[in-house]
Amino acid sequence: MPDLLTDSEFDKFRKVIYDESGITFSATNRSILDSRLKERLREKKLAAVEDYYKLIMSNRDEMKTMLDSVTTNLTRFFRNQPHFDALIHYIVPHVLENKKKAGDTVVRVWSAGCSTGEEPYTIAMILKDILPAPYTFSITASDISLKSLMVGQQGFYPATRVGGIPEKYLARFFTKNEKGFQVNKDLMGMIHFDYHNLRNDSGARNLDIVFCRNVLIYFDEAAQKAVINRFWDSMGPHSYLFIGHSESLFGMKTQFEFLKTDWACLYQKNVN
């Protein structure tokens, strides 16, 4: 099948996607962009790429839909278990120690780039299980994909998607029916799903824990640094940042400190 985009058209779409989201398309993943745009042209019944370009530049809803279509959403429950082991055994005890000193009882978490919700629900199950009274938590789960957010908000997953969940959690936090598993309402109520573009300030402040895993790989160095600096601004004085196991802040001038625990490596903000 011939390419949809000419070189000049590819450059135009690549630039607008980068300007809008920070996501970088290179020559190696050009075919992904090409196939996703073909789908959008068919959906909108447009024959010319230029007509679709004019549409996204004049219609913010279609711009969001286009950005949604070109992102890849790959996730699962308890993905990269060592991160959650570090959360349980190291991060939560240290967060609660600081909470006690500050007289605060709410653990605030952001799952950035949450995709279809498996990550924030994993965090919620863990915190619901291990936080002692009187502590509670709130989780904001954000993504640039509206379709993915809708799945997360509905909290329903087929049996093929829940394989990584421990049996005790599956029994406690889900209701099974003939089509799959539904997250129970009390757990769903602990998570706020929200559309957010990481190019912008989220407005959040004093977060204790931020998960942004396997998202930075889609950004170039400048966009990565801008996102990391916005995370710093959103986080409390003693807080923790998880990024993907294949991602690193090495060589990037940031204020975060590298933290190696017995379970996993992550980053911390520690301001006295």
Side-chain angles (χ1 to χ4, degrees):
M1 187 177 293
D3 288 345
L4 173 72
L5 299 169
T6 65
D7 289 346
S8 62
E9 288 168 343
F10 174 61
D11 287 340
K12 283 175 70 171
F13 275 94
R14 178 168 60 174
K15 182 179 186 305
V16 75
I17 290 168
Y18 177 79
D19 290 345
E20 289 287 332
S21 69
I23 295 170
T24 301
F25 274 91
S26 62
T28 56
N29 54 17
R30 174 173 173 165
S31 60
I32 297 173
L33 178 58
D34 197 279
S35 65
R36 304 290 168 80
L37 289 178
K38 281 178 182 175
E39 293 173 10
R40 293 311 303 151
L41 262 69
R42 281 197 297 269
E43 181 72 23
K44 304 306 291 185
K45 296 180 171 57
L46 295 173
V49 171
E50 185 61 33
D51 290 338
Y52 186 67
Y53 184 81
K54 290 176 181 175
L55 177 62
I56 63 170
M57 298 306 288
S58 62
N59 186 313
R60 292 302 302 175
D61 287 340
E62 184 58 30
M63 177 71 81
K64 287 183 178 181
T65 300
M66 186 270 292
L67 293 175
D68 187 337
S69 71
V70 300
T71 55
T72 302
N73 298 293
L74 175 65
T75 187
R76 64 179 183 271
F77 288 99
F78 289 87
R79 185 181 187 187
N80 193 359
Q81 181 66 44
H83 278 174
F84 298 112
D85 292 336
L87 177 70
I88 294 166
H89 300 294
Y90 185 94
I91 304 305
V92 168
H94 281 78
V95 166
L96 294 187
E97 184 180 334
N98 289 316
K99 291 286 176 188
K100 187 174 181 180
K101 292 176 184 175
D104 184 7
T105 60
V106 181
V107 178
R108 298 170 182 85
V109 184
W110 181 12
S111 171
C114 69
S115 188
T116 46
E118 285 89 338
E119 179 180 89
Y121 282 124
T122 298
I123 299 165
M125 286 187 278
I126 290 171
L127 295 181
K128 192 84 170 171
D129 189 33
I130 70 173
L131 283 183
Y135 296 100
T136 185
F137 64 92
S138 67
I139 299 174
T140 297
S142 70
D143 204 275
I144 199 171
S145 168
L146 292 168
K147 287 188 294 187
S148 295
L149 288 170
M150 287 177 65
V151 174
Q153 284 178 326
Q154 291 165 357
F156 180 79
Y157 300 91
T160 54
R161 298 278 291 276
V162 301
I165 303 174
E167 282 298 325
K168 67 171 187 174
Y169 285 167
L170 199 59
R172 179 179 173 187
F173 297 116
F174 289 78
T175 300
K176 184 180 180 180
N177 62 35
E178 66 277 6
K179 294 183 178 179
F181 293 81
Q182 176 66 52
V183 180
N184 293 342
K185 280 188 167 52
D186 61 335
L187 196 71
M188 292 179 69
M190 307 301 292
I191 302 173
H192 172 61
F193 286 92
D194 187 30
Y195 177 86
H196 178 66
N197 187 330
L198 288 173
R199 293 286 273 182
N200 305 319
D201 182 1
S202 69
R205 295 296 181 267
N206 292 315
L207 295 167
D208 299 296
I209 304 165
V210 173
F211 278 77
C212 183
R213 304 187 301 168
N214 308 304
V215 175
L216 296 177
I217 54 175
Y218 297 105
F219 297 162
D220 68 5
E221 186 176 344
Q224 287 178 355
K225 186 172 182 180
V227 170
I228 291 299
N229 287 340
R230 280 190 283 274
F231 284 150
W232 177 274
D233 292 339
S234 72
M235 294 167 67
H238 304 285
S239 50
Y240 300 90
L241 171 66
F242 287 91
I243 60 176
H245 64 87
S246 63
E247 299 169 321
S248 173
L249 304 188
F250 181 74
M252 190 184 302
K253 290 185 178 179
T254 79
Q255 299 176 80
F256 284 102
E257 299 171 11
F258 179 75
L259 175 62
K260 188 178 188 301
T261 73
D262 290 341
W263 302 271
C265 297
L266 59 145
Y267 296 86
Q268 65 179 347
K269 176 178 178 177
N270 195 9
V271 179
N272 294 319

